[in-house]
Short mmCIF file of all heavy atoms in Angstrom, two decimals:
data_model
loop_
_atom_site.label_atom_id
_atom_site.label_comp_id
_atom_site.label_asym_id
_atom_site.label_seq_id
_atom_site.Cartn_x
_atom_site.Cartn_y
_atom_site.Cartn_z
N ARG P 209 -18.95 13.72 -7.25
CA ARG P 209 -18.24 14.69 -6.44
C ARG P 209 -16.74 14.36 -6.33
O ARG P 209 -15.80 15.26 -6.38
CB ARG P 209 -18.87 14.94 -5.11
CG ARG P 209 -18.36 16.24 -4.37
CD ARG P 209 -18.81 16.38 -3.01
NE ARG P 209 -20.29 16.49 -2.93
CZ ARG P 209 -20.96 17.69 -3.08
NH1 ARG P 209 -20.33 18.73 -3.34
NH2 ARG P 209 -22.31 17.68 -2.90
N ARG P 210 -16.53 13.02 -6.05
CA ARG P 210 -15.10 12.58 -5.92
C ARG P 210 -14.31 12.82 -7.20
O ARG P 210 -13.19 13.31 -7.22
CB ARG P 210 -15.09 11.21 -5.61
CG ARG P 210 -15.67 10.85 -4.20
CD ARG P 210 -15.55 9.39 -3.80
NE ARG P 210 -16.23 9.12 -2.48
CZ ARG P 210 -15.95 8.04 -1.78
NH1 ARG P 210 -15.14 7.12 -2.23
NH2 ARG P 210 -16.56 7.84 -0.67
N ASP P 211 -14.96 12.52 -8.38
CA ASP P 211 -14.30 12.60 -9.67
C ASP P 211 -14.13 14.04 -10.09
O ASP P 211 -13.08 14.38 -10.71
CB ASP P 211 -15.06 11.80 -10.75
CG ASP P 211 -14.97 10.27 -10.56
OD1 ASP P 211 -14.12 9.85 -9.70
OD2 ASP P 211 -15.72 9.57 -11.15
N GLN P 212 -15.14 14.83 -9.82
CA GLN P 212 -15.14 16.16 -10.37
C GLN P 212 -14.59 17.27 -9.50
O GLN P 212 -14.06 18.28 -9.91
CB GLN P 212 -16.58 16.62 -10.75
CG GLN P 212 -17.14 15.71 -11.90
CD GLN P 212 -18.60 15.97 -12.12
OE1 GLN P 212 -19.20 16.98 -11.63
NE2 GLN P 212 -19.27 15.03 -12.85
N VAL P 213 -14.68 16.98 -8.15
CA VAL P 213 -14.23 18.01 -7.19
C VAL P 213 -13.01 17.56 -6.44
O VAL P 213 -11.98 18.21 -6.42
CB VAL P 213 -15.42 18.36 -6.20
CG1 VAL P 213 -14.90 19.42 -5.17
CG2 VAL P 213 -16.61 18.93 -6.98
N TRP P 214 -13.13 16.39 -5.74
CA TRP P 214 -12.04 16.02 -4.90
C TRP P 214 -10.82 15.58 -5.69
O TRP P 214 -9.72 15.65 -5.19
CB TRP P 214 -12.47 14.92 -3.95
CG TRP P 214 -13.67 15.31 -3.13
CD1 TRP P 214 -14.73 14.52 -2.71
CD2 TRP P 214 -13.89 16.56 -2.43
NE1 TRP P 214 -15.61 15.11 -1.89
CE2 TRP P 214 -15.14 16.43 -1.74
CE3 TRP P 214 -13.21 17.69 -2.37
CZ2 TRP P 214 -15.68 17.43 -0.98
CZ3 TRP P 214 -13.78 18.79 -1.65
CH2 TRP P 214 -14.98 18.64 -0.90
N GLU P 215 -11.02 15.10 -6.93
CA GLU P 215 -9.81 14.71 -7.72
C GLU P 215 -9.02 15.97 -8.00
O GLU P 215 -7.82 15.92 -8.18
CB GLU P 215 -10.31 14.04 -9.04
CG GLU P 215 -9.15 13.87 -10.09
CD GLU P 215 -7.97 13.09 -9.64
OE1 GLU P 215 -8.09 12.27 -8.68
OE2 GLU P 215 -6.90 13.23 -10.24
N ARG P 216 -9.67 17.15 -8.04
CA ARG P 216 -8.92 18.37 -8.38
C ARG P 216 -8.61 19.19 -7.13
O ARG P 216 -8.17 20.34 -7.23
CB ARG P 216 -9.77 19.17 -9.33
CG ARG P 216 -9.91 18.50 -10.67
CD ARG P 216 -10.74 19.31 -11.66
NE ARG P 216 -10.64 18.76 -13.02
CZ ARG P 216 -11.28 17.71 -13.47
NH1 ARG P 216 -12.17 17.09 -12.66
NH2 ARG P 216 -11.05 17.31 -14.74
N THR P 217 -8.88 18.60 -5.91
CA THR P 217 -8.54 19.31 -4.71
C THR P 217 -7.36 18.69 -3.96
O THR P 217 -7.43 17.42 -3.74
CB THR P 217 -9.79 19.24 -3.73
OG1 THR P 217 -10.96 19.76 -4.44
CG2 THR P 217 -9.51 20.00 -2.41
N PRO P 218 -6.29 19.41 -3.71
CA PRO P 218 -5.19 18.87 -2.97
C PRO P 218 -5.56 18.43 -1.59
O PRO P 218 -6.42 19.08 -0.92
CB PRO P 218 -4.18 20.02 -2.94
CG PRO P 218 -4.53 20.93 -4.02
CD PRO P 218 -6.11 20.84 -4.09
N TRP P 219 -4.94 17.32 -1.08
CA TRP P 219 -5.19 16.86 0.23
C TRP P 219 -4.89 17.94 1.28
O TRP P 219 -5.63 18.04 2.30
CB TRP P 219 -4.35 15.60 0.51
CG TRP P 219 -4.55 14.97 1.83
CD1 TRP P 219 -3.67 14.89 2.89
CD2 TRP P 219 -5.73 14.26 2.29
NE1 TRP P 219 -4.19 14.19 3.92
CE2 TRP P 219 -5.47 13.80 3.57
CE3 TRP P 219 -6.99 13.98 1.76
CZ2 TRP P 219 -6.39 13.10 4.37
CZ3 TRP P 219 -7.87 13.29 2.53
CH2 TRP P 219 -7.59 12.81 3.76
N TRP P 220 -3.90 18.69 1.10
CA TRP P 220 -3.49 19.82 2.00
C TRP P 220 -4.65 20.78 2.17
O TRP P 220 -4.99 21.21 3.28
CB TRP P 220 -2.28 20.51 1.56
CG TRP P 220 -1.71 21.59 2.34
CD1 TRP P 220 -2.07 22.85 2.28
CD2 TRP P 220 -0.73 21.47 3.45
NE1 TRP P 220 -1.36 23.62 3.27
CE2 TRP P 220 -0.54 22.73 3.98
CE3 TRP P 220 -0.03 20.39 3.92
CZ2 TRP P 220 0.37 23.00 5.00
CZ3 TRP P 220 0.90 20.64 4.96
CH2 TRP P 220 1.04 21.87 5.46
N GLU P 221 -5.28 21.10 0.97
CA GLU P 221 -6.43 22.04 1.04
C GLU P 221 -7.68 21.42 1.59
O GLU P 221 -8.37 22.00 2.44
CB GLU P 221 -6.72 22.53 -0.36
CG GLU P 221 -7.89 23.46 -0.46
CD GLU P 221 -8.16 23.82 -1.89
OE1 GLU P 221 -7.15 24.03 -2.70
OE2 GLU P 221 -9.35 24.08 -2.31
N PHE P 222 -7.92 20.14 1.28
CA PHE P 222 -9.14 19.43 1.76
C PHE P 222 -9.16 19.34 3.30
O PHE P 222 -10.17 19.46 3.94
CB PHE P 222 -9.20 18.08 1.09
CG PHE P 222 -10.41 17.28 1.59
CD1 PHE P 222 -11.71 17.54 1.08
CD2 PHE P 222 -10.30 16.25 2.55
CE1 PHE P 222 -12.82 16.75 1.46
CE2 PHE P 222 -11.31 15.49 2.93
CZ PHE P 222 -12.61 15.77 2.38
N THR P 223 -7.95 19.05 3.83
CA THR P 223 -7.84 18.87 5.25
C THR P 223 -7.62 20.22 5.97
O THR P 223 -7.50 20.14 7.25
CB THR P 223 -6.76 17.92 5.64
OG1 THR P 223 -5.55 18.38 5.05
CG2 THR P 223 -6.99 16.55 5.09
N ARG P 224 -7.56 21.31 5.27
CA ARG P 224 -7.27 22.62 5.83
C ARG P 224 -6.06 22.61 6.68
O ARG P 224 -5.99 23.27 7.74
CB ARG P 224 -8.48 23.13 6.64
CG ARG P 224 -9.83 23.10 6.00
CD ARG P 224 -9.91 24.06 4.80
NE ARG P 224 -11.31 24.16 4.30
CZ ARG P 224 -11.84 23.48 3.29
NH1 ARG P 224 -11.04 22.53 2.66
NH2 ARG P 224 -13.06 23.62 2.91
N ALA P 225 -4.96 21.97 6.22
CA ALA P 225 -3.81 21.79 6.95
C ALA P 225 -3.10 23.11 7.26
O ALA P 225 -2.42 23.20 8.34
CB ALA P 225 -2.82 20.88 6.22
N ALA P 226 -3.20 24.04 6.38
CA ALA P 226 -2.51 25.38 6.66
C ALA P 226 -2.99 26.09 7.87
O ALA P 226 -2.28 26.83 8.50
CB ALA P 226 -2.62 26.30 5.47
N ARG P 227 -4.22 25.77 8.32
CA ARG P 227 -4.75 26.46 9.51
C ARG P 227 -4.45 25.66 10.80
O ARG P 227 -4.84 26.10 11.88
CB ARG P 227 -6.29 26.43 9.45
CG ARG P 227 -6.85 27.08 8.19
CD ARG P 227 -8.36 27.02 8.16
NE ARG P 227 -8.94 27.45 6.92
CZ ARG P 227 -10.26 27.40 6.61
NH1 ARG P 227 -11.10 26.93 7.58
NH2 ARG P 227 -10.77 27.83 5.40
N MET P 228 -3.88 24.49 10.66
CA MET P 228 -3.71 23.63 11.86
C MET P 228 -2.33 23.54 12.44
O MET P 228 -1.45 24.26 11.90
CB MET P 228 -4.12 22.23 11.40
CG MET P 228 -5.56 22.06 10.86
SD MET P 228 -6.78 22.55 12.04
CE MET P 228 -8.32 22.33 11.09
N SER P 229 -2.27 22.82 13.52
CA SER P 229 -1.02 22.71 14.19
C SER P 229 0.13 21.97 13.35
O SER P 229 -0.24 21.28 12.46
CB SER P 229 -1.13 22.03 15.53
OG SER P 229 -1.54 20.69 15.31
#
Side-chain angles (χ1 to χ4, degrees):
R209 193 185 298 276
R210 294 183 183 198
D211 291 346
Q212 297 172 13
V213 179
W214 303 140
E215 169 59 20
R216 292 178 169 83
T217 303
W219 181 248
W220 183 270
E221 178 183 326
F222 179 78
T223 58
R224 306 296 190 266
R227 307 177 187 175
M228 303 298 179
S229 66

